[in-house]
Amino acid sequence: MNSFEISKKTARLVVLQRIEIASPLLKYFRRALGRYIFTNIITKFFLSTREVGKKYFNIMLDEFSTIKDQIKNENNQFFLSIGGGVGGLEAVINSNFSNINFYFIERNFVSNKIKYGWGGLSNLEAYNDVFEQQNFLLSNEIKSSQINIFDFDNDQLPKLKFDIIISLLSLDYHYDFKIYEKYLREVSTPKTKIIFDTIRADYFNKVFNNVKILDSQSNTVHKSKRILCSDFKASL
């Protein structure tokens, strides 16, 4: 695999989720015409699925390289993705490891205006479609028996113990970790590895017994760190 199979509608979602994939011309349209027109018109009609599929694959391959050494264990069979978009990272993980059951928690709507920033405890923004996500995963070699998608707003969230929990550029990057903290305590064990991006890595020494920095982003607005955490401390 050196590129993703991707439909026109899914390509639009990917560009909304990962703005760095947009071409310089599309980024110019976003600045010149505003977020509403970019979200609802430009991304619907001015995308190359081939280009998006290739760029998205390469970005997910880079993301995978930052976590692969932490998740390569044949005993890691139950993966939870929170806010992972259409699932490109999971498709790459699946192509490298076997016998994985993927669980996804996603919002199932597209906001009227694409906004990137800190949502705090609100978490009101979303750019996904779980039907398109399912089709994308199936088109990129993940079997239907491996896929379990849950709508954050309408479904009861899965209640099993996960080996790996991943939320890149989502949990504590766009919205507060506390939205999920109680749930994550319920579905993790002391050995569960929880990987996410944050601008306040030191804070999580108060939450977990084990915190390890995997990667740092110093050339972005948020100056975030990718951290691996395990073993929740007792709740205060």
Side-chain angles (χ1 to χ4, degrees):
M1 182 187 291
N2 57 16
S3 183
F4 287 134
E5 292 292 327
I6 195 166
S7 70
K8 190 80 172 180
K9 188 171 182 180
T10 302
R12 176 198 176 215
L13 293 172
V14 167
V15 169
L16 293 176
Q17 293 162 4
R18 304 295 298 244
I19 190 62
E20 65 268 35
I21 291 174
S23 66
L25 179 61
L26 289 183
K27 290 177 181 177
Y28 168 78
F29 283 151
R30 180 173 178 260
R31 291 192 301 270
L33 301 176
R35 291 191 300 259
Y36 182 86
I37 292 177
F38 178 80
T39 304
N40 293 282
I41 297 176
I42 300 300
T43 59
K44 286 184 178 179
F45 302 106
F46 296 92
L47 291 177
S48 163
T49 56
R50 185 173 182 176
E51 181 179 348
V52 171
K54 181 65 175 177
K55 284 185 176 180
Y56 184 40
F57 176 81
N58 287 335
I59 289 173
M60 291 300 101
L61 204 59
D62 287 342
E63 299 283 38
F64 175 67
S65 70
T66 69
I67 66 172
K68 64 179 180 180
D69 289 340
Q70 311 302 325
I71 64 176
K72 60 177 183 182
N73 185 321
E74 61 183 13
N75 294 320
N76 292 333
Q77 296 184 352
F78 294 95
F79 279 55
L80 173 63
S81 169
I82 299 175
V86 298
L89 177 62
E90 288 69 29
V92 172
I93 291 172
N94 187 67
S95 70
N96 283 269
F97 304 125
S98 58
N99 301 318
I100 296 178
N101 297 288
F102 292 104
Y103 290 74
F104 301 86
I105 298 176
E106 295 293 334
R107 310 297 296 278
N108 189 29
F109 63 91
V110 176
S111 300
N112 286 329
K113 295 181 181 180
I114 184 167
K115 299 177 183 177
Y116 302 110
W118 178 252
L121 292 170
S122 298
N123 189 23
L124 299 177
E125 300 298 319
Y127 312 102
N128 210 9
D129 179 320
V130 296
F131 178 77
E132 290 298 319
Q133 180 184 8
Q134 174 95 5
N135 287 341
F136 171 84
L137 295 170
L138 291 171
S139 297
N140 288 281
E141 302 179 5
I142 300 185
K143 299 176 182 177
S144 59
S145 60
Q146 296 175 266
I147 302 170
N148 306 273
I149 302 176
F150 296 81
D151 183 332
F152 175 82
D153 299 295
N154 298 303
D155 294 337
Q156 182 175 344
L157 301 185
K159 297 288 188 179
L160 64 152
K161 299 297 185 181
F162 290 100
D163 301 306
I164 304 291
I165 299 173
I166 301 174
S167 185
L168 305 188
L169 303 180
S170 187
L171 179 63
D172 214 68
Y173 188 84
H174 287 306
Y175 51 90
D176 201 297
F177 181 85
K178 288 186 180 298
I179 291 177
Y180 275 97
E181 182 173 350
K182 181 180 178 182
Y183 173 71
L184 293 179
R185 288 179 179 273
E186 293 173 354
V187 299
S188 63
T189 72
K191 293 184 178 181
T192 299
K193 294 181 177 180
I194 305 175
I195 302 171
F196 58 99
D197 297 303
T198 180
I199 61 172
R200 50 175 186 164
D202 290 344
Y203 165 79
F204 289 96
N205 289 307
K206 303 175 183 177
V207 180
F208 296 94
N209 286 311
N210 305 304
V211 178
K212 179 181 180 180
I213 296 175
L214 302 180
D215 194 34
S216 297
Q217 292 291 337
S218 59
N219 59 346
T220 63
V221 173
H222 295 294
K223 306 293 189 294
S224 63
K225 297 184 186 302
R226 180 157 298 164
I227 60 176
L228 182 154
C229 303
S230 63
D231 193 11
F232 275 101
K233 293 183 176 180
S235 300
L236 298 178

